[in-house]
Amino acid sequence: MCGIVGATAERRVAGILLEGLRRLEYRGYDSAGMALLNDEGLQQLRRVGKVQALADALEETGANGFSGIAHTRWATHGGVTEANAHPHFSNSTIAVVHNGIIENHESLRKKLQDLGYVFTSQTDTEVICHLMHHELKSTDDLLTALQATVKQLEGAYGTVIMDKRRPGELVVARSGSPLVIGLGIGENFIASDQLALLPVTREFIYLEEGDVARVTRDKVEIFDHQGAAVQREQQTSDLQYDAGGKGEYRHYMLKEIHEQPFAVRNSLEGRVNGDEIMVNAFGENAAEIFKDIRHVQIIACGTSYHAGMVARYWLEAYAGVSCNVEIASEFRYRKSHVFPGSLLVTISQSGETADTLAALRLAKTLGYRSSLTICNVATSSMVRESDLAFLTRAGAEIGVASTKAFTTQLVGLLMLVSALGHFNGMDKATEARIAHALSTLPTKLEQSLKITAEIEELAEEFADKDHSLFLGRGDQYPIAMEGALKLKEISYIHAEAYAAGELKHGPLALIDAEMPVIVVAPNNELLEKLKSNVEEVRARGGIMYVFADKDAHFASDDTMRVINLDHVDELVAPIVYTIPLQLLSYYVAIIKGTDVDQPRNLAKSVTVE
Ligand code: G6P
């Protein structure tokens, strides 16, 4: 979603800002802009489309400056136009970039219009720059004006502001949208994600909720929501990330699909001890908390929600604890019941998804025994605000469609099953089986990647279809859902997933030769039931693609193409069967020529509601 980069330095910063925006491109956006301050004043450059269009404009104009702010916008209020792109200006003096949504923008706009301000965009953001301009009539201090401004804002914001009368000074505020300050020598930076600043610094300060700060070349001053000066911890990032690093792969998504054996190995490192899962993988006091847990409430969005759905099957089957799973945007707006001894589990690749974060904050007021997040970003809000955290160590995921983040979430969740089961009467044999299945998983994933050529061929048959149906049963039902989501996201083919047993209650009416049906069929106790469902499709002239355990004895014929996978313990089958579905979506998208890493209208990290 929207990205922010700011810099104040003794050198010219346009290149740094541009590189920062490029590094945030993966998050999804539809326009980009920059404001630069130099001796000639404040310059504004904005372009609809890719960051490259902004780069071209910078080259044409030669614009540069010693301080500046830049932004990639993902439209919420107002269409995708240059006028709506950030930075927004007030009276050619104040420049503002903003992530988040100002919910009371209409009343503020009215008030500012009454004061004579003229709006040039349809955005909610524009109220911030006029408010700043207005507040600066009664103070000389940019930070004081910002403190007065944020008091009037309702909603979420990460914002960076500069004033042409105060060169070298940036003021920032964070509430609901992350911001990190990057520290340099004689220069300082600000961004919505540390990835943007890795070429210029490894030293970071994460702002906390309600913080405002003044950032100059040689000083950073931070104040909390009550206006008290505070020190926030300085952290050194060890994140390995090369923005150009697709390696031998054509897209980040393909690279990330192939990284899964490595990412899973990484996630397991030091966390499995022989036949046992190390409970402290979830935090130092995890054992103390887990022994009280009798129920798990999982909350997540998108792909992470599908990981949660798999975990529900696992937890109830193996760990002896009950489990509910809910989409965060639903959970946060309904009254829910908290079972005694409940653990609240959020699952999130980014740790910043607005709905999941809001649900976590709400849940903390509801009486849960404790909160755990399964997350890929150590410095994220969810990790910082949860009692316990399992870090998935998937490495930075750049493709918008989540792949390695999902499979490593499942690894963390299966470890959670063992850890909770340990305190709820799970027998030693099951604990050992989980540990063994996880330890051998990276090799199984490597094997499953070997069917790429077969899937490329299959994709050819698939790419001209408009609709598709994915079927699975038991813990493969969420995998079917994830397969359908992947296909939708990157190939734009309509895909629906059904629990195969539900087929005859509606979707069977859709079956014909133009509606390919994808079936995930590992060899488990539901196999025979699934075979009956396959026959129901066949009897109606459906064309099927079955990803099956080679021991399940499915045979290809005119109506069914079978892609065999090696046998795996059914415990980890949801993780292994995810791979062919990811590859299928990828190769269909390649044939369709879509923007695989940045599919239309989607964002990597959805930091607004
Ligand atoms: C967006 C992304 C998805 C992701 C979802 C939840 O929709 O495009 O890939 O699954 O957000 O994100 P999270 O970071 O919370 O896992």
Side-chain angles (χ1 to χ4, degrees), residues 327-357:
I327 293 166
S329 53
E330 288 298 314
F331 178 87
R332 65 179 288 196
Y333 289 119
R334 75 177 182 90
K335 291 207 165 40
S336 57
H337 178 74
V338 183
F339 294 92
S342 282
L343 178 68
L344 190 278
V345 178
T346 53
I347 309 173
S348 176
Q349 183 279 129
S350 61
E352 301 293 352
T353 301
D355 283 321
T356 313
L357 188 57

PDB file of all heavy atoms in Angstrom, residues 327-357:
ATOM      1  N   ILE A 327     -11.963 -13.796  10.040  1.00  0.00           N
ATOM      2  CA  ILE A 327     -11.388 -12.694   9.268  1.00  0.00           C
ATOM      3  C   ILE A 327     -11.378 -11.451  10.167  1.00  0.00           C
ATOM      4  O   ILE A 327     -12.392 -11.130  10.808  1.00  0.00           O
ATOM      5  CB  ILE A 327     -12.250 -12.449   8.017  1.00  0.00           C
ATOM      6  CG1 ILE A 327     -12.149 -13.638   7.066  1.00  0.00           C
ATOM      7  CG2 ILE A 327     -11.864 -11.159   7.313  1.00  0.00           C
ATOM      8  CD1 ILE A 327     -13.201 -13.648   5.994  1.00  0.00           C
ATOM      9  N   ALA A 328     -10.251 -10.761  10.193  1.00  0.00           N
ATOM     10  CA  ALA A 328     -10.083  -9.653  11.139  1.00  0.00           C
ATOM     11  C   ALA A 328     -11.130  -8.554  10.968  1.00  0.00           C
ATOM     12  O   ALA A 328     -11.638  -8.004  11.951  1.00  0.00           O
ATOM     13  CB  ALA A 328      -8.687  -9.068  10.998  1.00  0.00           C
ATOM     14  N   SER A 329     -11.476  -8.245   9.719  1.00  0.00           N
ATOM     15  CA  SER A 329     -12.413  -7.134   9.492  1.00  0.00           C
ATOM     16  C   SER A 329     -13.806  -7.459  10.013  1.00  0.00           C
ATOM     17  O   SER A 329     -14.612  -6.565  10.262  1.00  0.00           O
ATOM     18  CB  SER A 329     -12.467  -6.781   7.995  1.00  0.00           C
ATOM     19  OG  SER A 329     -12.752  -7.946   7.250  1.00  0.00           O
ATOM     20  N   GLU A 330     -14.128  -8.748  10.151  1.00  0.00           N
ATOM     21  CA  GLU A 330     -15.406  -9.139  10.753  1.00  0.00           C
ATOM     22  C   GLU A 330     -15.289  -9.136  12.274  1.00  0.00           C
ATOM     23  O   GLU A 330     -16.120  -8.577  12.977  1.00  0.00           O
ATOM     24  CB  GLU A 330     -15.816 -10.540  10.262  1.00  0.00           C
ATOM     25  CG  GLU A 330     -16.270 -10.556   8.831  1.00  0.00           C
ATOM     26  CD  GLU A 330     -17.507  -9.686   8.624  1.00  0.00           C
ATOM     27  OE1 GLU A 330     -18.445  -9.784   9.417  1.00  0.00           O
ATOM     28  OE2 GLU A 330     -17.512  -8.878   7.671  1.00  0.00           O
ATOM     29  N   PHE A 331     -14.239  -9.758  12.744  1.00  0.00           N
ATOM     30  CA  PHE A 331     -14.059  -9.898  14.198  1.00  0.00           C
ATOM     31  C   PHE A 331     -14.106  -8.538  14.896  1.00  0.00           C
ATOM     32  O   PHE A 331     -14.741  -8.372  15.935  1.00  0.00           O
ATOM     33  CB  PHE A 331     -12.719 -10.586  14.475  1.00  0.00           C
ATOM     34  CG  PHE A 331     -12.407 -10.744  15.942  1.00  0.00           C
ATOM     35  CD1 PHE A 331     -12.866 -11.851  16.651  1.00  0.00           C
ATOM     36  CD2 PHE A 331     -11.663  -9.788  16.621  1.00  0.00           C
ATOM     37  CE1 PHE A 331     -12.584 -11.996  18.002  1.00  0.00           C
ATOM     38  CE2 PHE A 331     -11.377  -9.920  17.973  1.00  0.00           C
ATOM     39  CZ  PHE A 331     -11.844 -11.025  18.662  1.00  0.00           C
ATOM     40  N   ARG A 332     -13.437  -7.563  14.297  1.00  0.00           N
ATOM     41  CA  ARG A 332     -13.270  -6.295  15.009  1.00  0.00           C
ATOM     42  C   ARG A 332     -14.564  -5.507  15.140  1.00  0.00           C
ATOM     43  O   ARG A 332     -14.651  -4.578  15.938  1.00  0.00           O
ATOM     44  CB  ARG A 332     -12.190  -5.432  14.344  1.00  0.00           C
ATOM     45  CG  ARG A 332     -12.538  -4.972  12.943  1.00  0.00           C
ATOM     46  CD  ARG A 332     -11.452  -4.111  12.327  1.00  0.00           C
ATOM     47  NE  ARG A 332     -11.364  -2.799  12.921  1.00  0.00           N
ATOM     48  CZ  ARG A 332     -10.724  -1.772  12.370  1.00  0.00           C
ATOM     49  NH1 ARG A 332     -10.088  -1.934  11.221  1.00  0.00           N
ATOM     50  NH2 ARG A 332     -10.705  -0.602  12.947  1.00  0.00           N
ATOM     51  N   TYR A 333     -15.568  -5.851  14.327  1.00  0.00           N
ATOM     52  CA  TYR A 333     -16.806  -5.084  14.394  1.00  0.00           C
ATOM     53  C   TYR A 333     -17.996  -5.888  14.906  1.00  0.00           C
ATOM     54  O   TYR A 333     -19.140  -5.555  14.639  1.00  0.00           O
ATOM     55  CB  TYR A 333     -17.131  -4.486  13.016  1.00  0.00           C
ATOM     56  CG  TYR A 333     -16.179  -3.365  12.658  1.00  0.00           C
ATOM     57  CD1 TYR A 333     -15.363  -3.455  11.537  1.00  0.00           C
ATOM     58  CD2 TYR A 333     -16.090  -2.238  13.457  1.00  0.00           C
ATOM     59  CE1 TYR A 333     -14.476  -2.436  11.224  1.00  0.00           C
ATOM     60  CE2 TYR A 333     -15.203  -1.215  13.153  1.00  0.00           C
ATOM     61  CZ  TYR A 333     -14.402  -1.323  12.047  1.00  0.00           C
ATOM     62  OH  TYR A 333     -13.525  -0.317  11.738  1.00  0.00           O
ATOM     63  N   ARG A 334     -17.723  -7.015  15.572  1.00  0.00           N
ATOM     64  CA  ARG A 334     -18.872  -7.724  16.136  1.00  0.00           C
ATOM     65  C   ARG A 334     -18.578  -8.046  17.605  1.00  0.00           C
ATOM     66  O   ARG A 334     -17.424  -8.024  18.033  1.00  0.00           O
ATOM     67  CB  ARG A 334     -19.176  -8.991  15.342  1.00  0.00           C
ATOM     68  CG  ARG A 334     -18.236 -10.118  15.589  1.00  0.00           C
ATOM     69  CD  ARG A 334     -18.640 -11.352  14.824  1.00  0.00           C
ATOM     70  NE  ARG A 334     -17.732 -12.435  15.133  1.00  0.00           N
ATOM     71  CZ  ARG A 334     -17.919 -13.297  16.134  1.00  0.00           C
ATOM     72  NH1 ARG A 334     -18.991 -13.220  16.900  1.00  0.00           N
ATOM     73  NH2 ARG A 334     -17.040 -14.246  16.378  1.00  0.00           N
ATOM     74  N   LYS A 335     -19.632  -8.323  18.317  1.00  0.00           N
ATOM     75  CA  LYS A 335     -19.444  -8.710  19.712  1.00  0.00           C
ATOM     76  C   LYS A 335     -19.147 -10.197  19.726  1.00  0.00           C
ATOM     77  O   LYS A 335     -19.913 -10.983  19.177  1.00  0.00           O
ATOM     78  CB  LYS A 335     -20.711  -8.416  20.507  1.00  0.00           C
ATOM     79  CG  LYS A 335     -20.952  -6.940  20.659  1.00  0.00           C
ATOM     80  CD  LYS A 335     -21.749  -6.624  21.907  1.00  0.00           C
ATOM     81  CE  LYS A 335     -21.685  -5.157  22.277  1.00  0.00           C
ATOM     82  NZ  LYS A 335     -21.745  -4.232  21.154  1.00  0.00           N
ATOM     83  N   SER A 336     -18.041 -10.593  20.324  1.00  0.00           N
ATOM     84  CA  SER A 336     -17.691 -12.010  20.297  1.00  0.00           C
ATOM     85  C   SER A 336     -17.562 -12.530  21.724  1.00  0.00           C
ATOM     86  O   SER A 336     -17.396 -11.757  22.673  1.00  0.00           O
ATOM     87  CB  SER A 336     -16.385 -12.222  19.533  1.00  0.00           C
ATOM     88  OG  SER A 336     -15.357 -11.466  20.123  1.00  0.00           O
ATOM     89  N   HIS A 337     -17.615 -13.843  21.822  1.00  0.00           N
ATOM     90  CA  HIS A 337     -17.536 -14.473  23.136  1.00  0.00           C
ATOM     91  C   HIS A 337     -16.102 -14.935  23.378  1.00  0.00           C
ATOM     92  O   HIS A 337     -15.480 -15.505  22.490  1.00  0.00           O
ATOM     93  CB  HIS A 337     -18.493 -15.668  23.163  1.00  0.00           C
ATOM     94  CG  HIS A 337     -18.448 -16.419  24.445  1.00  0.00           C
ATOM     95  ND1 HIS A 337     -19.016 -15.921  25.604  1.00  0.00           N
ATOM     96  CD2 HIS A 337     -17.889 -17.601  24.772  1.00  0.00           C
ATOM     97  CE1 HIS A 337     -18.808 -16.783  26.577  1.00  0.00           C
ATOM     98  NE2 HIS A 337     -18.120 -17.805  26.102  1.00  0.00           N
ATOM     99  N   VAL A 338     -15.596 -14.683  24.572  1.00  0.00           N
ATOM    100  CA  VAL A 338     -14.241 -15.144  24.890  1.00  0.00           C
ATOM    101  C   VAL A 338     -14.347 -16.381  25.789  1.00  0.00           C
ATOM    102  O   VAL A 338     -14.865 -16.298  26.898  1.00  0.00           O
ATOM    103  CB  VAL A 338     -13.426 -14.036  25.609  1.00  0.00           C
ATOM    104  CG1 VAL A 338     -11.994 -14.521  25.862  1.00  0.00           C
ATOM    105  CG2 VAL A 338     -13.410 -12.761  24.778  1.00  0.00           C
ATOM    106  N   PHE A 339     -13.865 -17.508  25.262  1.00  0.00           N
ATOM    107  CA  PHE A 339     -13.887 -18.741  26.054  1.00  0.00           C
ATOM    108  C   PHE A 339     -12.817 -18.687  27.140  1.00  0.00           C
ATOM    109  O   PHE A 339     -11.770 -18.059  26.943  1.00  0.00           O
ATOM    110  CB  PHE A 339     -13.639 -19.959  25.148  1.00  0.00           C
ATOM    111  CG  PHE A 339     -14.751 -20.181  24.159  1.00  0.00           C
ATOM    112  CD1 PHE A 339     -14.683 -19.616  22.888  1.00  0.00           C
ATOM    113  CD2 PHE A 339     -15.862 -20.928  24.504  1.00  0.00           C
ATOM    114  CE1 PHE A 339     -15.721 -19.802  21.979  1.00  0.00           C
ATOM    115  CE2 PHE A 339     -16.900 -21.113  23.601  1.00  0.00           C
ATOM    116  CZ  PHE A 339     -16.831 -20.548  22.339  1.00  0.00           C
ATOM    117  N   PRO A 340     -13.045 -19.353  28.262  1.00  0.00           N
ATOM    118  CA  PRO A 340     -12.017 -19.343  29.317  1.00  0.00           C
ATOM    119  C   PRO A 340     -10.707 -19.937  28.788  1.00  0.00           C
ATOM    120  O   PRO A 340     -10.723 -20.871  27.989  1.00  0.00           O
ATOM    121  CB  PRO A 340     -12.607 -20.253  30.401  1.00  0.00           C
ATOM    122  CG  PRO A 340     -14.047 -20.436  30.062  1.00  0.00           C
ATOM    123  CD  PRO A 340     -14.226 -20.144  28.618  1.00  0.00           C
ATOM    124  N   GLY A 341      -9.602 -19.408  29.228  1.00  0.00           N
ATOM    125  CA  GLY A 341      -8.285 -19.924  28.832  1.00  0.00           C
ATOM    126  C   GLY A 341      -8.009 -19.763  27.349  1.00  0.00           C
ATOM    127  O   GLY A 341      -7.426 -20.649  26.724  1.00  0.00           O
ATOM    128  N   SER A 342      -8.435 -18.633  26.788  1.00  0.00           N
ATOM    129  CA  SER A 342      -8.282 -18.432  25.335  1.00  0.00           C
ATOM    130  C   SER A 342      -6.986 -17.733  24.981  1.00  0.00           C
ATOM    131  O   SER A 342      -6.624 -16.727  25.593  1.00  0.00           O
ATOM    132  CB  SER A 342      -9.420 -17.559  24.803  1.00  0.00           C
ATOM    133  OG  SER A 342     -10.582 -18.285  24.669  1.00  0.00           O
ATOM    134  N   LEU A 343      -6.352 -18.244  23.950  1.00  0.00           N
ATOM    135  CA  LEU A 343      -5.177 -17.585  23.377  1.00  0.00           C
ATOM    136  C   LEU A 343      -5.609 -16.898  22.094  1.00  0.00           C
ATOM    137  O   LEU A 343      -6.238 -17.518  21.225  1.00  0.00           O
ATOM    138  CB  LEU A 343      -4.095 -18.632  23.062  1.00  0.00           C
ATOM    139  CG  LEU A 343      -2.817 -18.124  22.403  1.00  0.00           C
ATOM    140  CD1 LEU A 343      -2.016 -17.240  23.364  1.00  0.00           C
ATOM    141  CD2 LEU A 343      -1.944 -19.294  21.935  1.00  0.00           C
ATOM    142  N   LEU A 344      -5.284 -15.632  21.980  1.00  0.00           N
ATOM    143  CA  LEU A 344      -5.610 -14.886  20.762  1.00  0.00           C
ATOM    144  C   LEU A 344      -4.396 -14.981  19.844  1.00  0.00           C
ATOM    145  O   LEU A 344      -3.300 -14.576  20.225  1.00  0.00           O
ATOM    146  CB  LEU A 344      -5.899 -13.434  21.169  1.00  0.00           C
ATOM    147  CG  LEU A 344      -6.485 -12.406  20.213  1.00  0.00           C
ATOM    148  CD1 LEU A 344      -5.465 -11.778  19.316  1.00  0.00           C
ATOM    149  CD2 LEU A 344      -7.653 -12.958  19.412  1.00  0.00           C
ATOM    150  N   VAL A 345      -4.594 -15.535  18.655  1.00  0.00           N
ATOM    151  CA  VAL A 345      -3.467 -15.677  17.722  1.00  0.00           C
ATOM    152  C   VAL A 345      -3.733 -14.832  16.478  1.00  0.00           C
ATOM    153  O   VAL A 345      -4.733 -15.039  15.783  1.00  0.00           O
ATOM    154  CB  VAL A 345      -3.262 -17.154  17.304  1.00  0.00           C
ATOM    155  CG1 VAL A 345      -2.124 -17.277  16.288  1.00  0.00           C
ATOM    156  CG2 VAL A 345      -2.971 -18.022  18.522  1.00  0.00           C
ATOM    157  N   THR A 346      -2.867 -13.869  16.211  1.00  0.00           N
ATOM    158  CA  THR A 346      -2.956 -13.152  14.936  1.00  0.00           C
ATOM    159  C   THR A 346      -1.900 -13.735  14.009  1.00  0.00           C
ATOM    160  O   THR A 346      -0.814 -14.103  14.456  1.00  0.00           O
ATOM    161  CB  THR A 346      -2.707 -11.643  15.099  1.00  0.00           C
ATOM    162  OG1 THR A 346      -1.474 -11.446  15.795  1.00  0.00           O
ATOM    163  CG2 THR A 346      -3.825 -10.965  15.848  1.00  0.00           C
ATOM    164  N   ILE A 347      -2.255 -13.818  12.729  1.00  0.00           N
ATOM    165  CA  ILE A 347      -1.294 -14.312  11.728  1.00  0.00           C
ATOM    166  C   ILE A 347      -1.154 -13.212  10.679  1.00  0.00           C
ATOM    167  O   ILE A 347      -2.160 -12.719  10.152  1.00  0.00           O
ATOM    168  CB  ILE A 347      -1.794 -15.608  11.055  1.00  0.00           C
ATOM    169  CG1 ILE A 347      -2.215 -16.630  12.101  1.00  0.00           C
ATOM    170  CG2 ILE A 347      -0.726 -16.179  10.129  1.00  0.00           C
ATOM    171  CD1 ILE A 347      -2.886 -17.872  11.511  1.00  0.00           C
ATOM    172  N   SER A 348       0.074 -12.825  10.412  1.00  0.00           N
ATOM    173  CA  SER A 348       0.260 -11.738   9.450  1.00  0.00           C
ATOM    174  C   SER A 348       1.677 -11.755   8.905  1.00  0.00           C
ATOM    175  O   SER A 348       2.638 -11.819   9.663  1.00  0.00           O
ATOM    176  CB  SER A 348      -0.004 -10.395  10.149  1.00  0.00           C
ATOM    177  OG  SER A 348       0.264  -9.328   9.280  1.00  0.00           O
ATOM    178  N   GLN A 349       1.788 -11.711   7.604  1.00  0.00           N
ATOM    179  CA  GLN A 349       3.109 -11.607   6.986  1.00  0.00           C
ATOM    180  C   GLN A 349       3.771 -10.310   7.421  1.00  0.00           C
ATOM    181  O   GLN A 349       4.889 -10.294   7.901  1.00  0.00           O
ATOM    182  CB  GLN A 349       2.936 -11.670   5.458  1.00  0.00           C
ATOM    183  CG  GLN A 349       4.211 -11.642   4.649  1.00  0.00           C
ATOM    184  CD  GLN A 349       4.788 -10.244   4.462  1.00  0.00           C
ATOM    185  OE1 GLN A 349       5.976 -10.045   4.721  1.00  0.00           O
ATOM    186  NE2 GLN A 349       3.974  -9.284   4.064  1.00  0.00           N
ATOM    187  N   SER A 350       3.042  -9.209   7.263  1.00  0.00           N
ATOM    188  CA  SER A 350       3.624  -7.878   7.480  1.00  0.00           C
ATOM    189  C   SER A 350       3.612  -7.449   8.941  1.00  0.00           C
ATOM    190  O   SER A 350       4.441  -6.654   9.363  1.00  0.00           O
ATOM    191  CB  SER A 350       2.821  -6.848   6.688  1.00  0.00           C
ATOM    192  OG  SER A 350       1.478  -6.846   7.151  1.00  0.00           O
ATOM    193  N   GLY A 351       2.626  -7.918   9.692  1.00  0.00           N
ATOM    194  CA  GLY A 351       2.462  -7.450  11.067  1.00  0.00           C
ATOM    195  C   GLY A 351       1.887  -6.050  11.141  1.00  0.00           C
ATOM    196  O   GLY A 351       1.859  -5.435  12.215  1.00  0.00           O
ATOM    197  N   GLU A 352       1.414  -5.528  10.004  1.00  0.00           N
ATOM    198  CA  GLU A 352       0.882  -4.158   9.988  1.00  0.00           C
ATOM    199  C   GLU A 352      -0.518  -4.078   9.397  1.00  0.00           C
ATOM    200  O   GLU A 352      -1.063  -2.978   9.276  1.00  0.00           O
ATOM    201  CB  GLU A 352       1.798  -3.228   9.167  1.00  0.00           C
ATOM    202  CG  GLU A 352       3.228  -3.121   9.658  1.00  0.00           C
ATOM    203  CD  GLU A 352       3.374  -2.432  11.026  1.00  0.00           C
ATOM    204  OE1 GLU A 352       2.387  -1.885  11.556  1.00  0.00           O
ATOM    205  OE2 GLU A 352       4.497  -2.500  11.573  1.00  0.00           O
ATOM    206  N   THR A 353      -1.093  -5.192   8.972  1.00  0.00           N
ATOM    207  CA  THR A 353      -2.415  -5.143   8.334  1.00  0.00           C
ATOM    208  C   THR A 353      -3.416  -4.464   9.276  1.00  0.00           C
ATOM    209  O   THR A 353      -3.599  -4.894  10.424  1.00  0.00           O
ATOM    210  CB  THR A 353      -2.862  -6.574   7.975  1.00  0.00           C
ATOM    211  OG1 THR A 353      -1.880  -7.103   7.095  1.00  0.00           O
ATOM    212  CG2 THR A 353      -4.216  -6.597   7.311  1.00  0.00           C
ATOM    213  N   ALA A 354      -4.041  -3.403   8.769  1.00  0.00           N
ATOM    214  CA  ALA A 354      -4.824  -2.527   9.651  1.00  0.00           C
ATOM    215  C   ALA A 354      -5.915  -3.283  10.404  1.00  0.00           C
ATOM    216  O   ALA A 354      -6.082  -3.099  11.613  1.00  0.00           O
ATOM    217  CB  ALA A 354      -5.428  -1.397   8.829  1.00  0.00           C
ATOM    218  N   ASP A 355      -6.655  -4.139   9.701  1.00  0.00           N
ATOM    219  CA  ASP A 355      -7.764  -4.825  10.361  1.00  0.00           C
ATOM    220  C   ASP A 355      -7.264  -5.818  11.416  1.00  0.00           C
ATOM    221  O   ASP A 355      -7.855  -5.940  12.493  1.00  0.00           O
ATOM    222  CB  ASP A 355      -8.622  -5.565   9.322  1.00  0.00           C
ATOM    223  CG  ASP A 355      -9.531  -4.606   8.573  1.00  0.00           C
ATOM    224  OD1 ASP A 355     -10.065  -3.673   9.198  1.00  0.00           O
ATOM    225  OD2 ASP A 355      -9.702  -4.775   7.349  1.00  0.00           O
ATOM    226  N   THR A 356      -6.183  -6.528  11.108  1.00  0.00           N
ATOM    227  CA  THR A 356      -5.678  -7.522  12.064  1.00  0.00           C
ATOM    228  C   THR A 356      -5.120  -6.814  13.296  1.00  0.00           C
ATOM    229  O   THR A 356      -5.325  -7.249  14.432  1.00  0.00           O
ATOM    230  CB  THR A 356      -4.598  -8.403  11.393  1.00  0.00           C
ATOM    231  OG1 THR A 356      -5.072  -8.825  10.111  1.00  0.00           O
ATOM    232  CG2 THR A 356      -4.277  -9.619  12.231  1.00  0.00           C
ATOM    233  N   LEU A 357      -4.425  -5.706  13.045  1.00  0.00           N
ATOM    234  CA  LEU A 357      -3.859  -4.948  14.162  1.00  0.00           C
ATOM    235  C   LEU A 357      -4.976  -4.382  15.052  1.00  0.00           C
ATOM    236  O   LEU A 357      -4.913  -4.452  16.285  1.00  0.00           O
ATOM    237  CB  LEU A 357      -2.970  -3.823  13.600  1.00  0.00           C
ATOM    238  CG  LEU A 357      -2.131  -3.035  14.581  1.00  0.00           C
ATOM    239  CD1 LEU A 357      -1.210  -3.945  15.382  1.00  0.00           C
ATOM    240  CD2 LEU A 357      -1.284  -1.997  13.824  1.00  0.00           C
TER     241      LEU A 357
END
